[in-house]
């Protein structure tokens, strides 16, 4: 396997920049998820790595080779697509063997590679079957096997699980992760599902509008989202964001709502808020860091319950605070109902502050 390096990669269609100056390095053996909403440039980025479309600018290295001008077949990469594109009339064995037969490898070698890939993917017992005799998950493994026999330098996968039903998707998620761990494979994996990225990837590249927003481990992206876009994209339910204004009440720095209330900030948060480019500051908080109170307590602000959604172990409430919808997770035993007036308590050590003008996280 090999590392994959993108440097200032650009792809434009006229004035439309599908990929805009994207740079990141996938280390040898790393699993990287390209994630972001539909149309943000994930597939285009993957296709540029594969060489399926020409770049408008920048460099791509795979291993020690600059591949800008190499054909897809010469890049030694394996692609796994959403539809597995298995040959329906060939057995699983022949589906795996086909790319090797095309390369005119000796029969004994083909046999050895197919058996070894089948063993890794636990499909040895399926080798004589036809694709239609397999479950969706098994077909997925055959598609992976066909990529694997080619000994690629990297695997490129574009939403490979999106055709599967919810339960199988969760199961295949674990299998793909296992596949990656066992093979120490370099994987670039495209998904619009942030949960897939968070659960499987060593690093995630969050994209929006052709731009790379943040490239880091899922834990770091979750803990320190770089701007309000990333904050609201990663996590389920998303981080809640409340646009407010920073002000002083004479003794303390506070966040002020147009509804008339003030939230005093800790000294550290006050310094962050005062570093904003204007008075506009966005207060961010994840559902699990918020507490609900029936009456005003220090550090709490008033809100009105919008919806209450029990899910079993956790109940999610949506509360309107200063015009924004705020998600809060509660013990199922907490009794609240829509339209009730409540108080929401913020934890000063776990809130996030963003510049209301630039959307960037405010840090010290
Ligand atoms: N051949 C093309 N011509 C013009 N625009 C394209 C072409 N291919 C993709 N785009 C545009 O580039 C953007 C990124 O597309 P894509 O990479 O497929 O997004 P994603 O995979 O993240 O959903 C989209 O706005 C899409 O419409
Ligand atoms: Mg796509």
């Amino acid at each position: 396997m090999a590392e994959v390096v993108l440097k200032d990669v650009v792809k434009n269609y006229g004035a439309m920049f599908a990929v805009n100056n994207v740079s990141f390095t996938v280390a040898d053996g790393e699993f990287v998820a390209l994630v972001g909403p539909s149309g943000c440039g994930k597939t285009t980025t993957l296709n540029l790595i594969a060489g399926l479309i020409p770049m408008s600018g920048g460099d791509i290295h795979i291993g020690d080779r600059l591949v800008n001008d190499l054909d897809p077949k010469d890049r030694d990469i394996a692609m796994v697509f959403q539809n597995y594109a298995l040959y329906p009339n060939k057995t699983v064995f022949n589906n795996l063997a086909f790319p090797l037969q095309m390369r005119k490898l000796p029969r004994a070698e083909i046999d050895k590679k197919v058996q070894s890939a089948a063993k890794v993917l636990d499909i040895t017992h399926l080798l004589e079957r036809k694709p239609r005799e397999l479950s969706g998950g098994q077909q997925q493994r055959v598609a992976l096997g066909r990529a694997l026999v080619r000994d690629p330098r990297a695997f490129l996968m574009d939403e490979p699980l999106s055709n599967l039903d919810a339960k199988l998707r969760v199961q295949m998620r674990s299998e793909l992760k296992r596949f990656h761990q066992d093979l120490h494979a370099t994987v670039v994996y495209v998904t619009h599902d942030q949960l897939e990225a968070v659960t499987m990837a060593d690093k995630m590249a969050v994209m929006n509008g052709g731009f790379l927003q943040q490239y880091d481990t899922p834990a770091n992206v979750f803990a320190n989202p770089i701007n309000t876009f990333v904050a609201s994209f990663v996590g389920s339910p998303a981080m809640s964001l409340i646009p407010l204004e920073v002000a002083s009440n004479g003794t303390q720095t506070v966040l002020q709502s147009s509804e008339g209330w003030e939230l005093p900030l800790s000294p550290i948060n006050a310094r962050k808020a005062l570093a904003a480019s204007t008075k506009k500051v966005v207060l961010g908080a994840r559902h699990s860091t918020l507490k609900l109170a029936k009456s005003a307590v220090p550090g709490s602000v008033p809100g009105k319950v919008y919806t209450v959604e029990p899910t079993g172990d956790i109940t999610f409430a949506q509360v309107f605070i200063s015009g924004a919808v705020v998600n809060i997770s509660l013990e199922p035993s907490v009794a609240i109902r829509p339209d009730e007036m409540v108080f929401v308590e913020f934890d000063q050590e776990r809130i996030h502050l963003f510049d209301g003008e630039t959307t960037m996280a405010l840090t010290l």
Side-chain angles (χ1 to χ4, degrees):
M1 294 284 160
E3 69 170 6
V4 176
V5 182
L6 280 73
K7 179 105 194 2
D8 303 330
V9 170
V10 176
K11 177 66 187 180
N12 65 306
Y13 299 98
M16 200 342 251
F17 283 74
V19 176
N20 211 332
N21 238 47
V22 165
S23 303
F24 61 86
T25 295
V26 183
D28 186 356
E30 211 165 43
F31 189 130
V32 165
L34 289 184
V35 64
S38 178
C40 73
K42 306 179 294 292
T43 294
T44 306
T45 304
L46 202 73
N47 288 344
L48 291 170
I49 300 172
L52 298 176
I53 49 174
M55 285 195 288
S56 312
D59 286 328
I60 297 179
H61 280 87
I62 299 176
D64 48 9
R65 293 190 303 170
L66 180 67
V67 299
N68 295 9
D69 300 319
L70 286 186
D71 281 345
K73 65 174 170 44
D74 299 323
R75 295 190 182 196
D76 288 340
I77 42 101
M79 290 201 79
V80 181
F81 295 98
Q82 191 179 107
N83 54 348
Y84 318 128
L86 299 176
Y87 303 105
N89 296 320
K90 292 186 195 290
T91 60
V92 168
F93 182 97
N94 283 321
N95 263 283
L96 296 189
F98 189 68
L100 305 175
Q101 289 160 350
M102 294 307 286
R103 275 160 51 190
K104 306 224 179 332
L105 259 61
R107 233 180 115 156
E109 195 177 330
I110 292 178
D111 217 67
K112 204 172 134 211
K113 281 181 185 284
V114 170
Q115 292 294 348
S116 134
K119 195 164 165 230
V120 170
L121 290 159
D122 195 20
I123 51 173
T124 307
H125 59 297
L126 305 175
L127 286 174
E128 293 315 312
R129 293 206 203 161
K130 299 271 177 67
R132 66 171 176 277
E133 298 163 327
L134 304 176
S135 70
Q138 289 169 334
Q139 291 184 32
Q140 174 74 51
R141 266 184 269 167
V142 175
L144 281 174
R146 199 174 46 181
L148 187 58
V149 291
R150 298 178 39 216
D151 258 337
R153 289 167 163 248
F155 288 91
L156 306 181
M157 305 189 188
D158 195 351
E159 312 240 6
L161 305 186
S162 61
N163 278 355
L164 308 179
D165 66 49
K167 197 169 161 202
L168 191 54
R169 210 155 54 219
V170 172
Q171 185 191 331
M172 285 308 298
R173 214 157 73 191
S174 321
E175 296 214 5
L176 272 177
K177 191 164 179 173
R178 190 67 221 214
F179 167 83
H180 168 251
Q181 282 163 357
D182 290 348
L183 270 118
H184 307 291
T186 305
V187 178
V188 185
Y189 183 99
V190 163
T191 178
H192 64 276
D193 181 351
Q194 59 90 25
L195 189 61
E196 270 185 19
V198 168
T199 50
M200 290 198 287
D202 298 314
K203 289 210 187 102
M204 58 201 286
V206 186
M207 293 184 72
N208 189 29
F211 288 98
L212 179 61
Q213 305 284 309
Q214 191 163 7
Y215 184 60
D216 208 332
T217 62
N220 284 343
V221 172
F222 188 83
N224 302 304
I226 195 162
N227 58 24
T228 52
F229 172 80
V230 176
S232 58
F233 189 78
V234 178
S236 175
M239 182 187 290
S240 304
L241 299 170
I242 313 171
L244 298 167
E245 282 198 358
V246 62
S248 169
N249 69 1
T251 52
Q252 272 177 308
T253 302
V254 298
L255 291 180
Q256 230 168 27
S257 160
S258 55
E259 292 184 341
W261 52 259
E262 290 179 345
L263 177 69
L265 292 174
S266 68
I268 288 177
N269 286 329
R271 278 170 58 204
K272 288 182 187 171
L274 290 169
S277 58
T278 67
K279 280 186 181 170
K280 289 199 267 174
V281 168
V282 176
L283 170 63
R286 294 206 184 273
H287 63 89
S288 53
T289 69
L290 295 170
K291 280 197 205 144
L292 202 71
K294 298 267 181 176
S295 53
V297 293
S300 73
V301 306
K304 187 176 178 185
V305 179
Y306 181 54
T307 59
V308 181
E309 294 175 350
T311 67
D313 351 347
I314 304 177
T315 294
F316 290 102
Q318 292 192 316
V319 178
F320 266 116
I321 297 178
S322 199
V325 176
V326 173
N327 294 300
I328 305 178
S329 48
L330 304 166
E331 293 285 328
S333 58
V334 176
I336 54 162
R337 49 187 169 68
D339 295 332
E340 191 176 336
M341 296 305 297
V342 291
F343 290 86
V344 175
E345 202 182 331
F346 288 85
D347 179 346
Q348 288 287 319
E349 300 205 343
R350 296 166 85 189
I351 59 172
H352 297 254
L353 298 173
F354 301 92
D355 187 314
E357 204 62 43
T358 66
T359 81
M360 298 305 284
L362 293 165
T363 53
L364 291 181

